[in-house]
Amino acid sequence: MKLLRIMKAEALPGLKLRLTLDDGRVIERDVGKLLRGPVFEPIRNNPAEFARVKAEYGTVVWPSGADLDPDVLIWNGPPPEPEHAAANTGRKPAQSR
């Protein structure tokens, strides 16, 4: 399984992001529940600050240094396990989303 990363990020109303992945897909994610803690307070409470999001290092970042885990954004949770890893653990592979 190829490790996907975020190449472009665009802020949408309502704490949502439109993300362009390195495989060309475009996805939208509601990140409101992920913006917890003091580092995200200005981003969560100020739409102009939220809109300053950009893609760097394969994920999304803000000028304040706050960032989010790219796998959580891309997969809307942890990434699916490769089938060979699931076979070795006796668990079923995760369903693609």
Side-chain angles (χ1 to χ4, degrees), residues 10-91:
E10 176 187 353
L12 301 174
L15 298 177
K16 295 179 182 172
L17 296 174
R18 178 175 295 131
L19 308 170
T20 303
L21 307 181
D22 61 1
D23 68 355
R25 285 186 291 154
V26 177
I27 59 175
E28 291 184 7
R29 295 288 186 254
D30 182 340
V31 298
K33 291 182 180 178
L34 300 175
L35 302 178
R36 298 290 174 231
V39 71
F40 290 110
E41 188 173 337
I43 296 163
R44 185 177 57 249
N45 296 327
N46 182 342
E49 191 62 27
F50 180 76
R52 296 179 68 194
V53 68
K54 59 184 175 177
E56 280 187 3
Y57 312 110
T59 193
V60 298
V61 300
W62 283 269
S64 65
D67 64 359
L68 292 169
D69 183 302
D71 291 329
V72 170
L73 291 170
I74 293 167
W75 300 107
N76 221 6
E81 291 186 38
E83 293 205 25
H84 68 276
N88 291 337
T89 64
R91 296 185 309 194

